[in-house]
Amino acid sequence: MEPAMDYLKLASAGVVTVGAATVYYLLQGPDAPEPAVDLERQTTMLNTTDGARISRLCTEEKLIATYFDDVTTLYEGFQRGIRVSGDKPCLGWKPTPETPYQWLTYKQVNERATAFGAGLVKLGLKPENDTRVGLYSQNRPEYIIADQAFYRHSMTGVPLYDTLGEDACNFIINQGDLSTIICDNNAKVKTLLDRRKQFPILTTIIIFEKANTENLTKADSDGVILLQFENVEKLGRENPVQPNPPKSTDLCMVCYTSGTTGTPKGAMITHGNALASMSAALYFLVSLIEFCKYLNPCGTSLNTDDVLISYLPLAHSYERLIEGCLLTVGARIGFFQGDVKKLMDDIKELKPTLFPSVPRLLNRFYDKVMTGVSASRVKKFLFNLALSSKAKELKRGVIRNNSIWDKIVFRTVQAALGGRVRLITTGSAPISSSVLSVLRCIVGCPIIEGYGQTENAAVSTLTVVGDPDSGHVGPPLPCNMIKLTDVPEMDYYSNNNKGEICIKGPNIFLGYLKDKEKTREALDSDGWLHTGDIGEWTSNGTLKVIDRKKNIFKLAQGEYIAPEKIENALAQSPYVAQVYIHGDSLQSCLVGVVVPDPETLPSLSSKLGLSGSTLELVKSPVLKEAIIKDLIELGRKQGLSSLELVKDIHLHPELFSVENGLLTPTFKTKRHEVSKYFSKEIKEMYSRLEETKM
């Protein structure tokens, strides 16, 4: 029976193969549409001496600051959303995993924001722009309600988030003069109360969930007012206050960047800054979605029928930008349950049309798809056949989800994202070109990659829909111009189309709160933001990010890492003479190169039962594991986060020196040279780590 079954399996596979091959050769995709911009010339060089470039979407070489004539602030944006939505659903959430999404309409959100804002004023907060209020919460409807309450009275929100760390959080509360902080749960309230002595300015905490007895007692004994969010709303309904809307030049938030090289910096973002980025993104997306109008599901511009899944932190400018766009056009925002493990379940139920993402999540999605494909030879054959066909369409600028391959091969993949996604965005960190190319073929909708910083209100470039190339971040958005400036110490020169990325436009922040020195470092006298990133213009006018001016880089999660800080901490190990920490923005962890201390190496080796020359000892996996263990323990004692702990090391027998080209004459590590010197070992370490995941 077994040979017969094998024959039937082969015969079945043969029929499928022949049928698929026939379809492959008969299948003819649609004609490619005209792209929104000339893909061979995506930027306009301004007639200046500094080589600045702007988007080809700019009319008469003028940058845009607004999209809708009646929207110049985030407050006006939400008021427009109320008008155009027809009181459709606005904010959705799942009360429990078993219950379906529940929704607040635009009018209900506005009523609650009006009441909460009045309640804050009644509590004594002044309705003016210098009033700053902390927001310490996961994404949820009350977060948006609180934000809108701030805007209604020209107050400034200051987001706090868990990954800041205790010292950074203390610093922000004190520098920001946060007398009032709004929290989502009792755990965060307890954290604040336990550290109250570090920030005596804090007098009021408002909590979304029901306050527990422990926190109520602790708050009372410490002289802190602890209030329920709903009670502040009730207070506001009983004491209505006329709004005091902000001007475009007023601050909408102070967004603190993760202070990996010291204390955090509070980027002051105005309503005008945020609106410029939002308006440019809307203008850009509408133009490019119209470009795809013949496609399913890219049929219309952003509108009240769009649905966004909110799971990226609202404490970061990327998510705020996207949600601001959706609230302005009257669309829906559905919040995940707060558990990333349940995110795919939330997506399937919510069926979003817009899906903002980051490389780390897209990489996981890609890995899951490829693992499923590898489970069967037939599946793998069909997948590769389909991928090849879609890749050819993508090369011609065709993006769709209604081909035969979408129906018979990629339907399950697209269903995992809810089946209605018509646009995916990715930012925060670079994404692998190969991963992006495959995903663009299989998800059935455009995936656009952006580049930006908190200081330019989240985004300054976006890739053009229809551009099949990857590995770049697209041309400038129509709200800002970009130029590259010389960095001679790194051998980057603008006349060779390489240099530090500098950005100028209405989306550029005012500066850092109470920090003139850092502001002067970031903003020059002509208003250019110096990003610290090294860019390169491609031949068709798109921007590639190729390096970092300062010794800081992002991991795939989007978190900044300061390697020298880690090296200084780990150098205190008695077994380490020198250490080099390496991070790759396409990877999610750190690896290192360690030169063992020649004085302590013999005793450590003897303790481990090892013998031999230094050259022989550094090849020992036992020695390596012992040193890694010591570095991890030391790192934790030094207060390093889990992302700052090395996951693998390479032991090197020879000290870095001026003579071997790995140190400067002042004995500083030549990071670029060390990275090149150990490129083979670094690649091997990441390969081993990748294998352990599988």
Side-chain angles (χ1 to χ4, degrees), residues 139-159:
N139 299 16
R140 54 188 290 164
E142 291 87 351
Y143 200 120
I144 300 297
I145 291 169
D147 255 346
Q148 293 302 325
F150 301 159
Y151 302 155
R152 188 174 180 83
H153 297 287
S154 295
M155 298 177 188
T156 303
V158 181

Side-chain angles (χ1 to χ4, degrees), residues 437-502:
S437 296
V438 170
L439 290 179
R440 280 175 169 168
C441 291
I442 68 179
V443 297
C445 72
I447 303 179
I448 57 175
E449 184 175 6
Y451 164 78
Q453 297 181 331
T454 301
E455 290 83 351
N456 63 256
V459 63
S460 59
T461 75
L462 277 175
T463 52
V464 174
V465 175
D467 185 348
D469 294 333
S470 54
H472 63 85
V473 292
L477 278 177
C479 65
N480 54 232
M481 61 185 80
I482 295 178
K483 70 176 181 179
L484 304 180
T485 59
D486 294 346
V487 187
E489 65 271 25
M490 298 180 72
D491 203 27
Y492 293 125
Y493 296 95
S494 58
N495 60 10
N496 195 31
N497 284 325
K498 295 180 181 180
E500 182 180 10
I501 301 169
C502 298

